[in-house]
Amino acid sequence: MSHDTVLSRETRTVVSPSNVVVGAGAVEEVGDYASLYGTTALLVATERIFDVHGDVVLETLDEQGIETVVYTDVRPDPTVENIEEAYESWEEHDCDIVVTLGGGSSIDTGKGVGILAGNGGEIRDFGVDKAGYEGVPNPTPPLLAVNTTAGTGSEATRSVVVSDESTATKFLIVSKNVVPDVAIEDPELTVSLPRSHTAFTGIDALTHAIEAYVSVNSYGIPDGFAVEAMRRIARSLPVAWADGENLDARADMLVGQLQAGQAFTNSSVALVHGLARPLGAQLHIPHGLANALILPYVADFSAMAAPEKYATVARILGAADEDDDTRTAADRAADGILRLCDDLDLTGYLDDFGEVPAREEYLDVIEEMTQDAIDSGSPANNPRKPTAEEIRELYVEIYDDALAPDGRRRS
């Protein structure tokens, strides 16, 4: 008997939020869903997002008789301390529901609270480097994720990314037990997203889709999510960036980033994310911007190992035609990614959203970043398996071409 696909050889469990509420006005249903699960909610958000959207969430919860405790000290890259502090509020007020308001940082903080509430212990102990994949044994309490970015896709995933400031690293937690119960996708909430973060989160979503699609763990179901996500993001991210009030583009991006989240949580991320976490931690670069700096080089490095899939990426991004042969098209995927990054002026944000060191200082931490990337496990999911030396070379290329003030992409 021949085995042509993963599903002909083994079973896979497809995870996704139990309910996805999508469209203008979706936020008004938060209270209705919360009332199905409990009576006291911990609302987790950054202070800025809470100031913009907090009142509408509090109002819909109050209308359903839900008492709400607010935690607004979430950092852009949530830390161990963020999660521990939010969990203290959860315990002190005897909460039974987590509601997150924001993007990946708020959602990951809420997931972290849920992990501690359902399992106890220290949040660091659940990282994949210590507990492995599916290392959260007990389900979290009910979690409702009100998304305000497009996006990390965190409202659809079994992943949590946490910064450990004591070691200047980020660690990953992966478990189906952290997938939110309800995802609220309201495009009106994303209109307030500044142009910079529209670009960062949009490229993050594109990276999720591409990596899920080319991963060695890919198969038919997440492949379908990934291809549709890439199509939506390619057509709507430039529009949403250029005109943040275009609700059609904002809605299309919300759906695209959700599909990208569904893709990678049921497949995997790969080398880009393996490189991005250490780079972001060392240079204090937002995760989406780190992905944008890395993605073209990894596509160029990897295309030979998955030519048919990278050819599809190139065609979706408009860098290749159907008439181009597979390998020619695959080799143009990096060009399509670079063009989109240039359109969004992504390297132009480095002055305001990064701490780029001198080249010698950067070279001093490459060995540490390389080991952190390998330890994450993500590079092993890449279609072309990198050696430690190849990872070092990629980090040097990224600096010289994209990070350096006189680099080609910055100049």
Side-chain angles (χ1 to χ4, degrees), residues 153 205-206 208-209 212 225-226 229 233 255-265:
L206 179 65
H208 291 155
F225 289 140
I233 294 164
V255 176
Q257 66 86 38
L258 173 69
Q259 292 171 320
Q262 291 171 310
F264 88 81
T265 205

Side-chain angles (χ1 to χ4, degrees), residues 107-169:
I107 298 169
D108 281 356
T109 302
K111 288 177 178 178
V113 170
I115 291 169
L116 296 181
N119 297 271
E122 303 290 332
I123 193 67
R124 185 66 184 88
D125 294 336
F126 296 94
V128 295
D129 57 330
K130 294 189 175 185
Y133 289 86
E134 298 302 331
V136 179
N138 299 319
T140 65
L143 174 59
L144 287 71
V146 183
N147 189 23
T148 65
T149 69
T152 65
S154 294
E155 74 279 13
T157 75
R158 52 185 169 186
S159 303
V160 188
V161 180
V162 185
S163 294
D164 186 344
E165 293 188 321
S166 67
T167 59
T169 60

